[in-house]
Each structure stands twice: as structure tokens, then as C-alpha cells.
Amino acid sequence: MSEKIGVIVVGAAGRMGTRIIHVLHETPSMRLVQAVERPDHPSLGKDVGEIVGLGRSGIPLEGRIRKGEGEVIINFSTPQASLESLEFARENGVAIVIGTTGFRPEQMERIKELSKEVRCVLAPNMSVGMNVMFRIVQDVARVLGQDYDIEILEAHHRLKKDSPSGTAIKLGELIAETIGRDFNQVGIYGRKGMIGERTREEIGMQVIRAGDIVGEHMVLFGGVGERLEIIHRAHSRDNFARGAIKAALWIIHQPNGLYDMQDVLGLR
Ligand code: NAD
């Protein structure tokens, strides 16, 4: 019997799932035990190692999670599939790391409810650099937030489905909260036409979708005669995959509850 931590990857044939399986392959303390995809995926039954370019692994791509094997789920898929994995995790005493973005408010409420009884890390951006940026923008907002105009810009690849990115929304929410505003009220998504002058309170959100951009986020604090820009650029998906593995190693030792990468990285 192996002492390695068994990991179930959901969304295994996707862009993130593929990189997670690669990073797992290089992680001595963990092993892939199940690779799960949507029930109608064309590669079901094929060896997942071969699908992701690592050679034969002995693990087939399956259409649903099986009970009994695996201590932690890593899920980068769709909001609905992530909720299903979370329910499975709760019923079977398995920990879970969710990297999926684009949850509707009622789905977020369900996650909060379910995670009272399950160990869950949910983070729209698992990169270490981005999580440091979450902190920095709050520090800057505390000093400049009342006097400078705040704009958030994000750019991603052409295949990304949700907009703005979960990361950009989190940046907006953190900044708004820090300076006593409600992002639901002050967030302005794009601008067009004779809309008049910018208000002091609004936080602008601009979105680019192009080519194969992995992920870029900028927060701009615009004053009179100067501006301060804080930028994060992801060069590859491996930084997210490494963050997800770090989160999986951490969450298995925590009590039930909902955590994010600030908790995992000790940035609180
Ligand atoms: P992708 O479309 O390449 O991969 C998603 C995979 O999930 C696909 O292979 C799809 O077939 C699979 N899937 C769909 N329904 C499923 C189901 N019911 N059961 C199992 N698998 C199912 O997308 P991606 O670029 O890998 O991104 C996935 C998600 O992760 C998105 O929400 C994205 O925004 C998010 N993401 C988060 C981070 C982070 O750091 N948290 C980083 C990158 C991407």
C-alpha cells in the first residue's frame, strides 16, 4: 500500500487538468488515482498519461468520480461540475481544491453552505505572485483609494468562457471593501457612448480576450500628474498548477471550512 496522497483530478483533459497531472507526476508525496472528465468526453476509457503527453500511466479517463480511492480532489472544470465534486467530497470525507471560476451568487452561497462540512480551498487564482498582489493592492488602496481613480484591466486567451476573470472581480471586491465601497454598486464594466464624466467612486473594469494570453491583471491608480500601475503576468499555467498542488497538500491537514490561497500561503 502506497503512502502517497491519492489525488483525484476533475477536468483532467482540460488545459489546467493537463498541467496539474504533469506537476503531480513530479511531486514525490502525491499520486494520481482518478482522472475525471465530463461523461460525454470523447477520450473516456483512454489512458490519461497518454492523453496529457506523459506516456502510459495505468489510469483511465473516467466519466465520474468513484468512491473509495483518493484523499483530495483538485477540480478545474465548470461551476456545475465543481459543485458536484464538492457534494461528493462532503459525502465521502474527501478534501477538495477548486480553481474553477465563474460561479453565480447562488452557487457561491451553496459552496459556503457545503463547506461547513468539508475541507475546501476555493481560489480564482492559485499563483503565489497574484496572491501577493491581492495584498499589495489593498495596501495601496488604503493610501490612495479616496483620491485616485481606480481601474482594473485584465487580458486572457480567446477560449476563456467567463468575463471578467474571477481574479479581476476579486481584485475589485478587495479594493472596494478596503476603501468602504460595495463593488456591486461601484464596478463599471466597460464604457461606451456619451456617458459623462467618470465618478469618483467608480472602479472601472476592462477586459481583453486575444490569442493565447495565459492571464494578465493590472490595477491602475490614476491621480493628477501621475499614475501607479500594479501588474501581474502569468507566463504559463504551471504556476496555477503548482499553487493547486500546494493547496491540496495543505488542505488535507485542516479542519472543515472554506479557505483561499491567502490561507494556504499564510498571507493573512
Ligand atoms: P478547459 O475548458 O481547458 O478545461 C475544463 C475541463 O473541464 C474540460 O476538459 C471539460 O471537458 C471538463 N469538464 C466539463 N464538464 C465536466 C464535468 N461535468 N466533469 C468533469 N469534467 C468536466 O478550461 P481551463 O482553462 O482548464 O480552465 C478551467 C477553469 O479553471 C476555468 O473556470 C478557469 O477560469 C479556471 N482557472 C483557474 C485558475 C486558478 O488559478 N484558479 C487558473 C486557470 C484557470
Side-chain angles (χ1 to χ4, degrees):
M1 190 71 184
S2 162
E3 285 174 17
K4 292 185 177 191
I5 298 152
V7 182
I8 302 165
V9 175
V10 179
R15 284 179 288 269
M16 278 305 302
T18 298
R19 294 320 306 162
I20 286 161
I21 292 171
H22 275 257
V23 176
L24 264 179
H25 191 65
E26 300 160 8
T27 307
S29 58
M30 299 183 119
R31 72 188 173 104
L32 178 69
V33 292
Q34 294 185 50
V36 182
E37 257 295 339
R38 59 188 156 81
D40 60 345
H41 196 281
S43 299
L44 290 191
K46 293 188 182 150
D47 188 291
V48 75
E50 288 177 352
I51 294 170
V52 304
L54 281 170
R56 205 169 154 65
S57 65
I59 309 280
L61 193 66
E62 296 177 85
R64 57 197 292 268
I65 311 180
R66 277 178 291 104
K67 292 182 182 183
E69 224 187 351
E71 285 156 69
V72 58
I73 298 169
I74 301 181
N75 186 318
F76 284 70
S77 61
T78 64
Q80 185 54 36
S82 302
L83 273 168
E84 285 165 18
S85 287
L86 184 59
E87 283 180 20
F88 176 94
R90 186 187 59 160
E91 281 158 26
N92 294 281
V94 176
I96 183 165
V97 173
I98 301 175
T100 308
T101 59
F103 292 99
R104 294 191 304 271
E106 67 274 18
Q107 290 175 316
M108 276 308 303
E109 285 310 310
R110 182 83 183 126
I111 291 174
K112 283 181 195 156
E113 190 57 36
L114 287 170
S115 48
K116 288 178 186 157
E117 295 170 14
V118 62
R119 295 159 290 162
C120 177
V121 175
L122 173 76
N125 195 310
M126 304 250 170
S127 92
V128 175
M130 191 66 220
N131 281 277
V132 174
M133 178 162 164
F134 285 147
R135 225 174 114 151
I136 294 170
V137 294
Q138 291 177 79
D139 291 343
V140 176
R142 233 169 255 124
V143 182
L144 302 181
Q146 303 300 346
D147 301 321
Y148 285 54
D149 296 329
I150 306 170
E151 296 281 311
I152 300 168
L153 291 80
E154 65 103 325
H156 280 87
H157 53 90
R158 62 160 75 112
L159 300 172
K160 185 164 176 63
K161 296 181 184 74
D162 52 322
S163 170
S165 70
T167 304
I169 294 170
K170 179 150 182 172
L171 283 165
E173 289 173 347
L174 287 172
I175 292 167
E177 197 185 310
T178 305
I179 54 178
R181 297 177 197 167
D182 176 357
F183 191 63
N184 289 321
Q185 306 288 326
V186 300
I188 298 288
Y189 297 83
R191 296 186 181 89
K192 192 183 178 204
M194 281 295 290
I195 55 167
E197 287 180 14
R198 186 193 200 285
T199 64
R200 255 298 159 66
E201 292 73 32
E202 70 195 54
I203 297 178
M205 177 73 84
Q206 319 301 336
V207 174
I208 293 166
R209 291 287 175 267
D212 62 353
I213 300 170
V214 173
E216 302 196 1
H217 293 87
M218 179 202 283
V219 177
L220 184 158
F221 294 85
V224 177
E226 66 169 3
R227 69 177 186 268
L228 173 62
E229 297 171 346
I230 302 167
I231 303 172
H232 178 267
R233 295 195 174 99
H235 301 172
S236 84
R237 290 183 175 80
D238 279 23
N239 76 101
F240 306 128
R242 284 179 200 286
I245 300 289
K246 207 180 271 246
L249 285 165
W250 181 86
I251 190 67
I252 53 175
H253 301 297
Q254 306 308 315
N256 288 344
L258 185 58
Y259 304 90
D260 64 15
M261 282 306 279
Q262 306 280 304
D263 299 307
V264 174
L265 299 170
L267 290 172
R268 278 214 194 287

